[in-house]
Each structure stands twice: as structure tokens, then as C-alpha cells.
Amino acid sequence: MSGLRAGSTLPIRLSESLMPVNPPPSSDAARHVPVMLSEVLAALAPEAGEAFIDGTFGAGGYTRAILDSAPDIRVLAIDRDQTAIAAGIALVSAMKGRLTLVEDRFSNLDKLAPMLGGDGVDGVVLDIGVSSMQLDEAERGFSFRRDGPLDMRMSGRGTSAADLLATLPEEALSRIFYVLGEERRANALARAIVTDRVKQPFLRTMQLADLCGRVIRSKPSDIHPATRAFQALRIAVNGELNELGLALLAGERALRPGGRLVVVTFHSLEDRIVKTFFADRTRSQAGGSRHAPVVALPTFTQSRRAAVAATPREADVNPRARSAKLRFAVRSDAPARDTGTSFLGLPDMNIQSGRGR
């Protein structure tokens, strides 16, 4: 599969020729309700014959709706969760060649886009964060309401949440909880973890949830005291903010002029990154010297700069939608900018080195 970065994981492409005789049931898809589906479709505005990338396949809610919205639409769907890939096999078969499902990170979406053919794609959609079906599976370790191993790895590979709690110093843990979880009791929580892990390592979700309940003061009307700590660990384990930044740049490279980039986020850190990206890319940028100025033209246009929120009715029915924000923009014909992610202000956690800055 050409175009992959050196050292990246070879994606698994599922086609009808690779379908097992008895595909697994799609009960997960039935449980998962895609957030702000009508708003996503309105922003993507799919038309017959177009090609789209769903960078966060999950249970396939967006992918299925895009494919059903007009004839001959093709979708390349990406997910780094092997469980999501396996659950999507039946949908790949049902779409008869219109859906390609790939196990990979969505930061690689521009490298995978040529699988759809053509000189670019007509739309990219990203639903950031954890899915309902991941929360429902106790063995994945994402939920503080179900006992399971402290894992939280979306791909099942690399450093787990238990590994971080066992090895990181107090300062690094505190920074994770404060920056990635916006937890006001971050210092006290990190101190308690470092003290308690000497006697017994943190291996189960309920261990950590119980500790959060003891350290973090809350009222009955407040969110669960473990909410922010679990969010912070999940983001740290999966490098989610850096992945989001890279995916936005990849979307810029993958979209053809007139293509739509649609992003749904679920907390302020994610939304701030997307807002910053679109603010930067919808204005000209001067460079070079005063003698030989270089002007980078806007790579996106926005008809609406403010975020779109879920309707009160959807928020009542689907709790996951309560914090959701949607932002979108349309690709211009200006060349993609050759920049890194530094302008996005991503926090540097340095968790792999055991430090937090």
C-alpha cells in the first residue's frame, strides 16, 4: 500500500474477498447513536458519486448515513480500534464495494486517500473521543462505572493507563490530570496515587474510581468525581490531541477544492484545537522577507465560524451529545500549507519519558 510513512503500521483493508463466512453480529452498531448526525450530513452535503473519508468509524453511524444519502457514494472509513474494524465487516459486505475499511490512525488519512482514486476527496468527518461501545465494554478500561483492567488503549498496543499510573512521577501525573482533564484537584489526586501504588499497583478501573471518590470532593448534582481523571488518562494513553492536530493537517492535504472538513468534539481542549486550526487556515499568512514577501492564501472558507451545538432534544435523548460541538469549513483551491502543529498550541506532556512539562 503505497504512500504510508516509514515505520507506520500496515493498515488492514477489508474488501468482500476477505469477508469471513460468518461475520460477527452488529449489536454494537445498534447500541451506538451517532452524535449530531443531521448536522454532520448538512455540513458534508454529500452528492451522488462523491468520495468521503470517515476518520473515526466507530460503530459506523456516520459512514452508513453518508453512503445512504445519495447514489454511488464511496467511503473510506478508518479506525485504530480492532474491535470496531471487526464489527464493521458486515457493513463492508452490504455496501458491495462502496465502503473500504482500514485499521489505522486518522492522522494518516491523507496517505490512505488514494485508495478512493481521483485527485482528492469531497469530504472528511472526524468524531473525536471515545465511543459508546468502548465505554460499554468493561474489559477496555474506559469506564469508571464498570470494573475492568485499567487499559484505555484504543488500538490495544503500547502504554496502558495502568502503565502510566505505575511509572510516572507525581509531577507528570498531576500535569496530565490538570491539563488534559482540567481537574482542579490534580495535585492531590497525583499525590494519593503515588502514595497508594507503593502498597498496591493500580490495575483495575474501580480502584482508581474509588480513589477519585475519596480525593475529589463532589456534590450529588456534580459529575462523577472520576470523570476528568479518566478523560485525562485516556487522552494521554492514546495521544489524542496530537493525533487530532495531525489529522486536521492531513484533511487539508486530502481534500479537493470545494471539499468539506467536519469535526465533532466533546470537550474544550479538542474544540480549541479545531477552532484555532480553522482560524489560521481561513486567513492569509505573510512570510518570507520584506524584499521577497510570501503570502499563504486561505486554504479554507467558513460560512459559519461559531460552533454548532446539539439540539436540546438530542442532548436529552443522548447524554454524549450534551457537550458536543461541531465545526466545519470548505477547502479552497490554495495549496496546503507545509506547517507543523506548533501553531495549534498542543500541550507537551512527555509521558513516554516519564516527565511532564
Side-chain angles (χ1 to χ4, degrees):
M1 216 165 286
S2 62
L4 290 177
R5 283 201 290 262
S8 65
T9 304
L10 183 66
I12 298 172
R13 178 179 179 178
L14 297 178
S15 63
E16 289 181 82
S17 62
L18 298 177
M19 292 298 105
V21 176
N22 297 307
S26 56
S27 57
D28 284 338
R31 293 202 310 266
H32 180 77
V33 179
V35 171
M36 300 181 71
L37 179 58
S38 61
E39 292 87 348
V40 166
L41 289 177
L44 283 175
E47 296 182 0
E50 290 188 326
F52 294 86
I53 293 178
D54 181 352
T56 46
F57 177 72
Y62 291 155
T63 288
R64 187 188 301 271
I66 294 167
L67 289 165
D68 290 345
S69 62
D72 302 324
I73 283 179
R74 292 168 296 122
V75 173
L76 169 66
I78 304 166
D79 207 298
R80 57 170 153 168
D81 189 330
Q82 297 173 350
T83 303
I85 296 295
I89 290 175
L91 184 58
V92 173
S93 180
M95 290 299 109
K96 301 185 183 303
R98 294 200 294 135
L99 171 60
T100 300
L101 192 54
V102 176
E103 182 191 341
D104 206 319
R105 294 172 178 260
F106 60 27
S107 57
N108 289 328
L109 68 86
D110 60 321
K111 305 296 190 298
L112 302 172
M115 296 168 69
L116 287 169
D119 57 354
V121 299
D122 298 289
V124 172
V125 60
L126 305 172
D127 174 354
I128 311 304
V130 67
S131 72
S132 300
M133 62 183 188
Q134 287 169 330
L135 289 172
D136 288 342
E137 297 171 6
E139 65 272 14
R140 303 299 301 275
F142 290 103
S143 176
F144 47 78
R145 300 186 186 280
R146 296 175 173 84
D147 188 45
L150 261 174
D151 193 324
M152 300 193 189
R153 296 172 297 177
M154 291 183 178
S155 67
R157 307 181 187 93
T159 303
S160 69
D163 294 330
L164 295 186
L165 295 182
T167 60
L168 290 185
E170 180 180 326
E171 180 184 357
L173 287 172
S174 176
R175 178 160 170 78
I176 286 175
F177 295 135
Y178 184 76
V179 175
L180 302 184
E182 300 176 319
E183 173 53 63
R184 288 173 293 181
R185 296 278 293 166
N187 289 340
L189 181 58
R191 190 179 311 118
I193 289 171
V194 171
T195 299
D196 285 13
R197 74 187 182 188
V198 175
K199 311 169 198 172
Q200 184 176 9
F202 285 86
L203 301 177
R204 308 290 295 182
T205 55
M206 294 311 295
Q207 278 181 276
L208 179 60
D210 289 344
L211 179 65
C212 291
R214 297 198 305 271
V215 173
I216 300 169
R217 306 182 189 94
S218 63
K219 302 174 184 176
S221 58
D222 292 342
I223 62 173
H224 192 286
T227 301
R228 296 186 179 93
F230 272 66
Q231 169 189 293
L233 283 173
R234 189 203 80 225
I235 292 173
V237 165
N238 297 289
E240 291 179 32
L241 300 186
N242 188 58
E243 278 292 301
L244 172 57
L246 293 173
L248 293 171
L249 296 177
E252 180 184 52
R253 293 189 292 267
L255 287 164
R256 61 167 56 101
R260 289 77 71 190
L261 177 57
V262 181
V263 188
V264 179
T265 61
F266 293 90
H267 65 77
S268 59
L269 289 173
E270 299 166 345
D271 181 60
R272 193 178 308 138
I273 292 169
V274 178
K275 181 180 179 180
T276 300
F277 175 80
F278 283 143
D280 181 83
R281 283 343 200 220
T282 53
R283 60 174 180 252
S284 298
Q285 190 173 69
S289 68
R290 62 189 179 92
H291 301 293
V294 177
V295 177
L297 297 175
T299 57
F300 285 92
T301 61
Q302 281 185 300
S303 59
R304 176 191 174 110
R305 292 187 178 273
V308 180
T311 64
R313 181 178 180 182
E314 179 179 1
D316 288 340
V317 174
N318 185 1
R320 187 170 180 254
R322 291 172 187 167
S323 59
K325 291 184 178 180
L326 181 151
R327 295 184 188 271
F328 64 97
V330 178
R331 187 71 169 85
S332 73
D333 58 3
R337 297 180 187 175
D338 185 15
T339 65
T341 59
S342 59
F343 72 97
L344 295 173
L346 302 177
D348 179 11
M349 306 309 297
N350 274 329
I351 62 170
Q352 299 302 329
S353 65
R355 297 185 294 114
R357 292 194 287 112

